[in-house]
Structure formats: structure tokens, C-alpha cells
Amino acid sequence: MTGGSSYREVVFFMQEVAENMLGGKKVTVVFVLGGPGTGKGTQCANIVEHFGFTHLSAGDLLRAEIKSGSENGTMIENMIKEGKIVPSEVTIKLLQEAMIKNENDKFLIDGFPRNEENRGAFENVTKISPAFVLFFDCSEQEMERRLLARNEGRVDDNIETIRKRFKVYVESSLPVIEYYNAKDKVKKIDASKPIPEVFEDVKAIFAPYAKAA
């Protein structure tokens, strides 16, 4: 019996050690989610500056891969042109490579996972579980107001496009937030407040990750 118990302890220990290990280092990952116009980008820049995280945007990585002219980039570009969804594994591989190449061990992953399939694939492929999800919560009316203020051109077209983005966000991203909320891993921020006030709330959440003076 003792041997069995000790074997189980060893297996458990190995699982603990393996978890969140990437490229020989233990990484801290925070998913940053929120609808269009919630100010995620602004707050991510603040977190990078004050708390020493590296900001990774799935969209930026895909665009950079396309620009590189690699075989992978050409495949991604063709899929987007054909209106196909880029497979989760492709985006995850880019995120994984970016984290391994970077000397940092603290990462903000912005705008990913976009849906439950993304989420499951990320955890299965990388064996990384996020420390928490930073969720910027904002009413649809306020997001719409901000996005329209940023845009120029025909208002009706803009409103129609914006509302389509809201619909996709609600249908795809909210189930991801609900999944992590059930695991008590969601830190919700009221993103309708002015930027400096929002950052005060963000700072309170990230205080344990403050850079050493």
C-alpha cells in the first residue's frame, strides 16, 4: 500500500512540475477579454509598463506571420482570403513560440481565446492554465458610443458593423468567461469608468505581480 501511495505522490508531483512549463520556464498567463471598445489595448499597455508583463495579441501574431512571407503565413493568408477560420492550433503555435522566444515569464494574451474551442485547444496543446482572466465589462451602449466616436464615415454602416461584432462577441466569448468564472478565475473590471479609474482597479488586481523596485 505504501508503494502505491508513494507512486501516486510522485505522479502528482510530476504533474505539478509539468504544469505551466514552457521552454524550460514556468510561465504566468493572463487572458485579457472584453468586447470591442472596452479599452483592453490601453490597459494592456499600462500593465506592461507597471507590472513587467509581455503583451501578446493573437491578431498581431497572425498578421506578422502573414507579413513574414513564410509557408505558414501564406497558408494563413489564403484561409483568411477564402473566409475560412484559421485553426486554433495555428494561432496557439504562434502564441507558444512567442512565449518561448521571449525572455519574460509573464504574459498577457489579448483577445484569445475567442471561443470555447480556442480555450480547450490552448490548454490541451500548451498544458498551460491561465492564472486568471481579466474581463473588461462594459454595456453595449457605451461600447457602441466609444467605437462610433473613434470612427468616421457613414454612421449606419458603422453601427451595423459594430453590432455584428457585439453579436459575435456575446455568442462566442461569453461562454469562455462563464467557464473560467465557474473556476473562480475571472477578475471583472467595470470598463465603463474613465481610463485612470479603470487602471486603479487593474492595479489592485496586479499588485502581487509588481516589479521589484
Side-chain angles (χ1 to χ4, degrees), residues 18-22 96 121-129:
E19 193 183 352
N20 282 25
M21 291 298 291
L22 195 61
Q96 206 170 11
F122 182 87
E123 292 194 5
N124 289 335
V125 172
T126 65
K127 302 293 182 270
I128 290 171
S129 188

Side-chain angles (χ1 to χ4, degrees), residues 61-78:
L61 288 171
L62 287 167
R63 283 186 285 275
E65 189 68 16
I66 290 168
K67 212 172 176 182
S68 74
S70 70
E71 195 178 323
N72 200 33
T74 304
M75 181 268 290
I76 293 166
E77 188 174 26
N78 289 339

Side-chain angles (χ1 to χ4, degrees), residues 49-104:
E49 184 184 345
H50 290 84
F51 298 101
F53 276 70
T54 294
H55 178 208
L56 297 177
S57 157
D60 287 351
L61 288 171
L62 287 167
R63 283 186 285 275
E65 189 68 16
I66 290 168
K67 212 172 176 182
S68 74
S70 70
E71 195 178 323
N72 200 33
T74 304
M75 181 268 290
I76 293 166
E77 188 174 26
N78 289 339
M79 290 195 80
I80 291 169
K81 275 181 185 169
E82 290 164 20
K84 293 178 182 171
I85 294 168
V86 177
S88 294
E89 283 72 14
V90 173
T91 308
I92 291 161
K93 187 166 177 263
L94 293 174
L95 287 165
Q96 206 170 11
E97 284 173 1
M99 287 190 280
I100 290 168
K101 283 177 188 170
N102 198 294
E103 289 180 6
N104 203 351

Side-chain angles (χ1 to χ4, degrees), residues 136-194:
F136 289 96
D137 191 24
C138 194
S139 72
E140 199 168 304
Q141 291 81 356
E142 177 60 16
M143 287 192 277
E144 189 175 293
R145 188 192 66 76
R146 290 178 181 182
L147 290 169
L148 287 173
R150 265 189 344 204
N151 281 333
E152 291 177 358
R154 291 184 300 178
V155 174
D156 287 341
D157 283 354
N158 287 336
I159 286 174
E160 193 180 324
T161 305
I162 287 164
R163 286 181 180 163
K164 275 182 189 166
R165 287 171 71 190
F166 289 154
K167 189 171 183 288
V168 169
Y169 161 68
V170 169
E171 289 173 358
S172 302
S173 298
L174 287 184
V176 175
I177 291 157
E178 284 163 10
Y179 172 86
Y180 285 116
N181 202 34
K183 292 179 172 287
D184 203 24
K185 279 193 168 190
V186 174
K187 311 279 189 190
K188 188 156 85 167
I189 296 279
D190 178 0
S192 64
K193 296 195 282 191

